[in-house]
Amino acid sequence: MTKIAIVYFSGYGHTEKLAAAVEAGAASEPGARVKTFRIDANGDLPDGALEDIGGHDAIVYGSPTYMGGVAWQFKKFADASSKIWFVQGWKDKIAAGFTNSASVNGDKGATISWLMTFAMQHGQIWVGTGILPSNRKEHGPQHVNWTAGMSGLLAVSPSDASPEEAPRAGDLETARLFGRRIAVQTALRAQAQHERPREPARV
Amino acid sequence: MTKIAIVYFSGYGHTEKLAAAVEAGAASEPGARVKTFRIDANGDLPDGALEDIGGHDAIVYGSPTYMGGVAWQFKKFADASSKIWFVQGWKDKIAAGFTNSASVNGDKGATISWLMTFAMQHGQIWVGTGILPSNRKEHGPQHVNWTAGMSGLLAVSPSDASPEEAPRAGDLETARLFGRRIAVQTALRAQAQHERPREPARV
Amino acid sequence: MTKIAIVYFSGYGHTEKLAAAVEAGAASEPGARVKTFRIDANGDLPDGALEDIGGHDAIVYGSPTYMGGVAWQFKKFADASSKIWFVQGWKDKIAAGFTNSASVNGDKGATISWLMTFAMQHGQIWVGTGILPSNRKEHGPQHVNWTAGMSGLLAVSPSDASPEEAPRAGDLETARLFGRRIAVQTALRAQAQHERPREPARV
Amino acid sequence: MTKIAIVYFSGYGHTEKLAAAVEAGAASEPGARVKTFRIDANGDLPDGALEDIGGHDAIVYGSPTYMGGVAWQFKKFADASSKIWFVQGWKDKIAAGFTNSASVNGDKGATISWLMTFAMQHGQIWVGTGILPSNRKEHGPQHVNWTAGMSGLLAVSPSDASPEEAPRAGDLETARLFGRRIAVQTALRAQAQHERPREPARV
């Protein structure tokens, strides 16, 4: 069995919808078990959640893009994870990331770029979407990877769209494909690592 | 008079169209004189161009986004400018940037982020678009700053669109507004600096 | 008179020491008045601080680098500033940034890169250090800009050094020079802008 | 057998020395075969090299940091690889990166950040150093990961140091450890992937 944790913050529900689609995609892979951890409005997780997360083979990160980066609540979680950093407790676990904001572009890429930096601090292995973009004239938000997120998933929820309306079909399908890809990649590693001990953290 | 240089590379003509719109916007500001420098397919500029560029009050950088960054031809120009870096010859000049690629998002932001880094190496002063995005459901490529580029201009030319077709109306209008903003900001500084000597480079 | 605000978070006192050196450098410029705003451990500023900050000509940002980015407390302030973003209330104000962490490099650059992104969201004008690095064999932490921060100030406080011990002489001198540069650049703009109205935000 | 390609550009020999240390570390892992590809001064590789590179399980990228990014010669290689991007020919291959510059920090992080972006465009899986930094007062360039590169290897060659003198002992040891880690991670995947077909590229 492959265990995948999705840790995310959602301010208005759009990112939560995205997280659910990533979860569904990952869970569709045989042998994958997915658990989601929603960071609350104060930037906290339930007691014991950090330890629980550490028991997974992959940790997927999600946050809306606010002011060009992750929401402060997500960063509070990230800073709290520094006690795990000191012992490299999440080393070699698969990592991936997704974000959502109102504009088609904006600084969503900066959010994913930082999520990669964060995962690298933890010694994780980063997996992007691996999905070629839909970038011809005919393409729109109903197509897969219309936003061309390669490092991570870049979803769009226009500023006047409710979580019922957005992210839209293309983003949600991309999220499912991405979730499945994460599960496949995690299974590949977990299977191999089973037969070989993890590299020790340097102390 | 305020002197503005636009240095750009264009692979297929889309970025050149964008450069022309930035130029038109800048030139529309009274007292502004704009000169464009097109980097050739081998990454070169005419003899003397680097010195000519250095005689301007602002240097605006433009390149398509290829593989998540500026075209290699632009980078060749950037590397050639390192001889100016050693004496900080472009210090305190206004800088700004624009890019174009096929997808609505992709890694265009990474290109602009690097252009900022490059301009900071030169000790320049960076000016973004300062234009709020068009990010409601009704908005599309015909609206101003639909891509929400704040650090720089992010234009879209679908992969099957000719330079006649793209960048589209919204991007071109954004380019004109951005060009005008650059000219205004450059004039502000040039006017004040006239009465005060430039800080010396540290040697 | 030129008014400069320094907004920062400091976890253990090292970044505060850096903020004080930037402040001293800025205040050494004739006509400059500097005010510091320290974000508290809960990510909050005193009531009315956001409005107070908005009355300045420059806003300088400072944070330690934690897990490859600004401290969550700083991000909480950044997210709270989004209400100002909507009206582009800080547009055209000078911006600059500084950070501190235990390693000579680490991901300090990612912190400054994001601070630039943040300032660009606000439509500000970014000023880097403009100080060439000290990068010969003989150089060490006692020299100016040993870390070669060009986009912003990158200070080093080894993990076992108290705020009395670090940041060290070179970083503090860099901070003073940077502070003075910010004041000079702000004065240049403020003087010119006095005679010309600010561009209106697009609504 | 696990096959690892190292593709790099070196301007003055410092980055080549680093590449050799990464190579030695990778080759020390039983079952690993490493091949290096040096990009020439014109940004070219020998005929057939792109296809040869594609036959490896991991592709490691190296370049000096010039003007805040990879050398233009490296970018020329990256742009040439776009024909492989169209068919996602390097999808799922392990990727990693290293860089060198004169300053202890500078914008080396920006180079690694872009290398990650580039590898993600290719659908690769990114592996960082996974080595905790040496960041106490007693530490210096003779210690492992003194520069605290987590996303990739950040080496330092002072501006007046020959390739015989730098990168120094700590960087070279970090390079060897990093090389070995890359080989271990590649072997893990290659072993598992042997029993499972690669995900098809989306067309």
Side-chain angles (χ1 to χ4, degrees):
Chain A
M1 180 170 295
T2 325
K3 297 196 287 179
I4 297 162
I6 300 177
V7 188
Y8 71 99
F9 172 76
S10 181
Y12 301 94
H14 304 86
T15 303
E16 174 157 57
K17 194 176 169 187
L18 204 58
V22 173
E23 181 186 10
S28 74
E29 180 66 14
R33 201 180 68 192
V34 192
K35 185 168 178 179
T36 57
F37 299 80
R38 183 171 176 163
I39 298 164
D40 71 19
N42 200 36
D44 295 325
L45 285 170
D47 281 351
L50 276 185
E51 291 67 29
D52 191 354
I53 291 166
H56 290 73
D57 303 305
I59 313 176
V60 184
Y61 305 109
S63 172
T65 293
Y66 291 162
M67 300 307 293
V70 293
W72 70 263
Q73 289 93 342
F74 187 93
K75 189 56 171 51
K76 191 176 173 190
F77 149 73
D79 288 2
S81 80
S82 61
K83 66 178 178 182
I84 293 157
W85 177 89
F86 279 105
V87 294
Q88 290 285 288
W90 292 352
K91 193 176 175 185
D92 295 346
K93 293 182 188 300
I94 290 283
F98 57 90
T99 191
N100 174 75
S101 71
S103 305
V104 295
N105 195 317
D107 285 314
K108 273 193 264 280
T111 297
I112 296 294
S113 178
W114 177 77
L115 285 175
M116 284 199 279
T117 298
F118 169 59
M120 287 302 125
Q121 284 286 342
H122 276 302
Q124 295 185 255
I125 314 284
W126 188 267
V127 174
T129 64
I131 302 169
L132 283 174
S134 295
N135 59 19
R136 291 199 300 273
K137 284 181 281 185
E138 64 188 297
H139 290 137
Q142 71 277 26
H143 293 101
V144 166
N145 208 12
W146 177 55
T147 52
M150 300 297 281
S151 299
L153 172 53
L154 312 173
V156 183
S157 297
S159 57
D160 54 351
S162 70
E164 284 71 43
E165 296 172 292
R168 292 161 295 191
D171 284 339
L172 297 179
E173 177 62 9
T174 311
R176 280 186 291 266
L177 291 170
F178 187 26
R180 191 174 154 274
R181 171 169 166 78
I182 294 164
V184 168
Q185 296 298 327
T186 305
L188 272 177
R189 279 188 56 84
Q191 172 192 331
Q193 214 145 16
H194 193 64
E195 300 152 41
R196 186 182 175 126
R198 194 163 75 82
E199 286 177 88
R202 179 174 154 275
V203 239
Chain B
M1 181 168 299
T2 325
K3 297 197 285 179
I4 297 162
I6 300 177
V7 187
Y8 71 99
F9 173 76
S10 181
Y12 300 95
H14 304 87
T15 303
E16 174 157 57
K17 194 175 167 186
L18 205 58
V22 172
E23 180 186 9
S28 75
E29 180 66 16
R33 200 179 68 193
V34 191
K35 183 167 178 180
T36 57
F37 298 80
R38 182 171 178 164
I39 299 164
D40 71 19
N42 200 36
D44 294 325
L45 285 169
D47 281 352
L50 276 185
E51 292 64 32
D52 190 354
I53 290 167
H56 291 73
D57 304 303
I59 313 176
V60 185
Y61 304 108
S63 172
T65 293
Y66 291 162
M67 300 307 293
V70 292
W72 70 263
Q73 290 92 342
F74 187 93
K75 189 57 173 49
K76 190 176 174 189
F77 149 73
D79 289 1
S81 78
S82 60
K83 67 177 178 183
I84 293 157
W85 177 89
F86 279 105
V87 294
Q88 291 284 291
W90 292 352
K91 194 177 176 186
D92 295 348
K93 294 182 188 300
I94 290 284
F98 57 91
T99 191
N100 173 76
S101 73
S103 305
V104 296
N105 194 318
D107 286 313
K108 274 193 265 278
T111 297
I112 296 294
S113 178
W114 178 76
L115 286 174
M116 283 199 279
T117 297
F118 170 58
M120 287 302 125
Q121 284 286 342
H122 276 301
Q124 295 184 256
I125 313 282
W126 188 267
V127 173
T129 63
I131 301 169
L132 283 174
S134 296
N135 59 18
R136 290 199 302 272
K137 284 181 282 186
E138 66 188 294
H139 291 137
Q142 72 276 29
H143 293 102
V144 166
N145 208 11
W146 177 56
T147 52
M150 300 297 282
S151 299
L153 172 53
L154 312 172
V156 183
S157 297
S159 57
D160 55 350
S162 70
E164 284 70 44
E165 296 172 292
R168 293 162 294 192
D171 284 340
L172 296 179
E173 175 63 8
T174 310
R176 282 186 289 267
L177 291 169
F178 187 26
R180 192 174 154 273
R181 171 170 167 77
I182 294 164
V184 168
Q185 296 298 328
T186 305
L188 273 176
R189 279 189 56 85
Q191 171 192 333
Q193 214 145 14
H194 193 65
E195 299 152 42
R196 189 186 173 120
R198 194 163 75 84
E199 286 177 86
R202 180 174 154 272
V203 239
Chain C
M1 181 168 297
T2 325
K3 296 197 287 179
I4 297 162
I6 300 176
V7 187
Y8 72 99
F9 172 75
S10 180
Y12 301 94
H14 304 87
T15 304
E16 174 158 57
K17 193 175 168 186
L18 205 58
V22 172
E23 181 187 9
S28 74
E29 179 67 16
R33 200 178 69 191
V34 191
K35 184 168 178 179
T36 57
F37 298 80
R38 182 171 178 164
I39 298 164
D40 71 19
N42 200 37
D44 294 325
L45 284 169
D47 281 352
L50 275 185
E51 292 66 30
D52 191 354
I53 290 166
H56 291 73
D57 304 304
I59 312 177
V60 184
Y61 304 108
S63 172
T65 293
Y66 291 162
M67 300 307 292
V70 293
W72 70 263
Q73 289 92 343
F74 187 94
K75 190 55 173 51
K76 191 176 173 190
F77 148 73
D79 289 1
S81 79
S82 60
K83 65 177 179 184
I84 293 157
W85 178 88
F86 279 104
V87 294
Q88 291 284 290
W90 292 352
K91 194 178 176 185
D92 295 347
K93 293 183 189 299
I94 290 284
F98 58 91
T99 191
N100 174 75
S101 72
S103 305
V104 295
N105 195 318
D107 286 314
K108 273 192 267 276
T111 297
I112 295 295
S113 178
W114 177 77
L115 285 174
M116 283 199 279
T117 298
F118 170 59
M120 287 302 124
Q121 284 286 342
H122 276 301
Q124 295 185 254
I125 314 283
W126 188 267
V127 174
T129 63
I131 301 170
L132 282 173
S134 295
N135 60 17
R136 291 199 300 274
K137 285 181 281 185
E138 65 188 295
H139 290 137
Q142 71 277 25
H143 293 102
V144 166
N145 208 13
W146 177 55
T147 52
M150 300 298 282
S151 299
L153 171 54
L154 311 173
V156 183
S157 297
S159 57
D160 55 350
S162 69
E164 284 71 43
E165 296 173 291
R168 292 162 294 192
D171 285 339
L172 297 179
E173 177 61 10
T174 311
R176 281 186 290 267
L177 291 169
F178 188 26
R180 192 174 153 273
R181 171 168 166 80
I182 294 164
V184 167
Q185 296 298 327
T186 306
L188 275 177
R189 277 189 57 84
Q191 173 192 331
Q193 214 146 15
H194 193 66
E195 300 152 42
R196 187 184 174 124
R198 196 163 75 84
E199 287 176 88
R202 179 174 154 274
V203 238
Chain D
M1 181 167 295
T2 326
K3 297 196 286 179
I4 298 162
I6 300 177
V7 187
Y8 70 99
F9 172 76
S10 181
Y12 300 95
H14 304 86
T15 303
E16 174 157 58
K17 194 175 168 187
L18 205 57
V22 172
E23 180 186 11
S28 74
E29 180 66 14
R33 202 180 67 192
V34 191
K35 184 168 178 180
T36 57
F37 299 79
R38 182 170 177 165
I39 299 163
D40 71 18
N42 201 35
D44 295 325
L45 284 169
D47 280 352
L50 275 185
E51 293 65 31
D52 191 354
I53 290 166
H56 291 72
D57 304 303
I59 312 175
V60 184
Y61 305 109
S63 172
T65 293
Y66 291 162
M67 300 307 292
V70 293
W72 71 264
Q73 289 92 343
F74 187 93
K75 189 58 173 50
K76 190 175 174 191
F77 150 72
D79 289 2
S81 79
S82 61
K83 66 178 178 182
I84 293 157
W85 177 89
F86 279 104
V87 293
Q88 291 285 288
W90 292 352
K91 194 177 176 186
D92 295 347
K93 294 182 189 300
I94 290 284
F98 57 91
T99 192
N100 173 76
S101 73
S103 305
V104 296
N105 194 319
D107 285 314
K108 274 193 265 280
T111 297
I112 296 293
S113 178
W114 177 76
L115 285 175
M116 284 200 279
T117 297
F118 169 58
M120 288 301 125
Q121 285 286 342
H122 276 302
Q124 296 185 255
I125 314 281
W126 188 266
V127 173
T129 64
I131 302 170
L132 283 174
S134 295
N135 60 18
R136 290 199 300 274
K137 284 181 283 186
E138 64 188 295
H139 291 137
Q142 72 277 27
H143 293 102
V144 166
N145 209 10
W146 177 55
T147 52
M150 300 297 282
S151 299
L153 172 53
L154 312 173
V156 182
S157 297
S159 57
D160 54 351
S162 70
E164 284 71 43
E165 296 173 292
R168 292 162 295 192
D171 284 340
L172 296 179
E173 176 62 10
T174 309
R176 281 186 290 266
L177 291 170
F178 187 26
R180 191 173 154 274
R181 172 171 166 77
I182 294 164
V184 168
Q185 296 298 327
T186 305
L188 274 177
R189 279 189 56 86
Q191 174 191 332
Q193 214 146 13
H194 193 65
E195 300 153 43
R196 187 185 176 125
R198 196 163 76 83
E199 285 177 87
R202 180 174 154 273
V203 237

